[in-house]
């Protein structure tokens, strides 16, 4: 199968590191193409960043056309997820939704540990949107900037992440950790080793779940709100995104 992995920010090193994380768990016959928008923020750390990044996601979905069997949006805010599902029949998975599903399979309750405290509300909104408010016991920020995770493969951030995870497990009485940033994919195995509980990287979870959906022959429904967008002109810089 052909899997399109979209990094919604424009930092090429993060695109490469998340592609590596995806390939570590993908089946041998899964071909992963990792891309990023031609415009937008270098990191996504707030609502303003997310809106611009969502348009960049759609740019990449449209450019891929019918060449992808599945699409993974590798940002924990899942920017543009519903719009991307409108734009393609291929299954589209956001890493937050995939991580929540995976965590619920291996624990009765999980905690999210993310980057900036200011983004915690975004994760909390996603918990409610996806119906996981009874399973997610807390969302915790570390105030680690997203791009700091690109330094030294994120290893310099491991001690602070470990401390935050231990505090979350104790405070929330949870059984698993969901990492709230695609840039944390490179440190998930080390954190799981140190903590002794399931640590879910949404990039890996989304890749494996995408493969399963393709194997099941499931596509995005085109009945209702995920129907192909209505044909109309888009003006200005968004002209190429019209139908």
């Amino acid at each position: 199968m052909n899997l399109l992995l979209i990094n919604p920010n424009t930092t090429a090193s993060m695109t490469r590191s998340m592609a590596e994380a995806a390939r570590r768990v993908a089946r041998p016959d899964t071909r992963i193409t990792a891309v990023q928008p031609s415009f937008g923020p270098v990191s996504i750390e707030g609502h303003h960043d997310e809106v611009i990044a969502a348009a960049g996601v759609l740019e990449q979905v449209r450019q891929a056309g019918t060449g992808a069997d599945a699409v993974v949006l590798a940002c924990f805010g899942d920017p543009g997820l519903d719009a991307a599902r409108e734009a393609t029949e291929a299954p589209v998975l956001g890493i937050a939704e995939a991580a929540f599903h995976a965590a619920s399979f291996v624990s009765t309750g999980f905690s999210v540990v993310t980057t900036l405290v200011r983004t915690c509300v975004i994760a909390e909104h996603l918990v409610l949107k996806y119906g996981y408010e009874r399973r997610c016991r807390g969302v915790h920020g570390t105030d680690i900037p997203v791009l700091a995770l690109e330094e030294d493969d994120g290893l310099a951030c491991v001690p602070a992440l470990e401390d935050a995870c231990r505090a979350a497990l104790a405070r929330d009485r949870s059984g698993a950790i969901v990492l709230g940033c695609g840039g944390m994919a490179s440190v998930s195995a080390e954190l799981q080793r140190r903590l002794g509980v399931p640590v879910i990287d949404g990039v890996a979870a989304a890749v494996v779940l995408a493969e399963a959906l393709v194997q099941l022959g499931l596509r995005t429904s085109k009945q209702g709100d995920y129907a192909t967008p209505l044909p109309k002109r888009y003006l200005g810089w968004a002209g190429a995104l019209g139908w």
Side-chain angles (χ1 to χ4, degrees):
M1 63 170 280
N2 295 313
L3 189 148
L4 178 67
L5 185 144
I6 302 175
N7 170 19
N9 75 38
T10 54
T11 296
S13 61
M14 187 165 287
T15 304
R16 290 191 295 269
S17 64
M18 290 192 292
E20 292 172 4
R23 292 187 178 107
R24 283 195 292 270
V25 298
R27 298 184 319 213
D29 61 342
T30 296
R31 293 174 294 278
I32 295 174
T33 301
V35 298
Q36 63 196 48
S38 65
F39 61 88
V42 295
S43 61
I44 300 171
E45 297 174 312
H47 300 293
H48 188 277
D49 294 339
E50 279 206 356
V51 170
I52 306 301
V57 165
L58 290 178
E59 173 200 54
Q60 294 303 309
V61 171
R62 294 296 302 279
Q63 288 183 7
T66 59
D69 297 307
V71 179
V72 168
L73 305 186
C75 169
F76 200 78
D78 291 354
L81 177 60
D82 289 321
R85 286 173 174 167
E86 282 188 83
T88 180
E89 292 186 359
V92 183
L93 286 82
I95 64 171
E97 186 174 19
F100 296 160
H101 280 299
S104 72
F105 295 147
V106 295
S107 67
T108 57
F110 60 86
S111 299
V112 177
V113 173
T114 187
T115 51
L116 302 188
V117 171
R118 65 172 290 169
T119 66
C120 287
V121 68
I122 296 174
E124 290 166 354
H125 287 168
L126 290 177
V127 167
L128 293 172
K129 175 183 177 180
Y130 298 142
Y132 277 94
E133 61 270 23
R134 293 186 178 181
R135 306 296 287 274
C136 179
R137 295 182 179 169
V139 178
H140 307 273
T142 59
D143 275 335
I144 295 173
V146 168
L147 294 184
L149 295 164
E150 288 302 288
E151 301 171 9
D152 193 28
D153 292 328
L155 295 179
C157 297
V158 167
L161 287 170
E162 180 184 359
D163 289 345
C165 289
R166 290 191 184 280
L169 291 167
R171 184 181 307 124
D172 299 340
R173 292 185 299 161
S174 55
I177 294 291
V178 167
L179 297 177
C181 178
M184 295 177 181
S186 62
V187 299
S188 61
E190 174 62 15
L191 286 171
Q192 181 165 281
R193 185 189 69 79
R194 293 186 180 207
L195 297 170
V197 300
V199 174
I200 294 89
D201 158 39
V203 175
V207 168
V208 173
L209 289 173
E211 290 177 327
L213 291 173
V214 172
Q215 185 173 354
L216 289 169
L218 297 176
R219 310 279 284 173
T220 299
S221 173
K222 291 299 153 183
Q223 180 169 320
D225 60 317
Y226 283 160
T228 301
L230 297 172
K232 65 186 65 173
R233 289 189 304 125
Y234 282 37
L235 302 181
W237 66 267
L241 301 180
W243 289 79

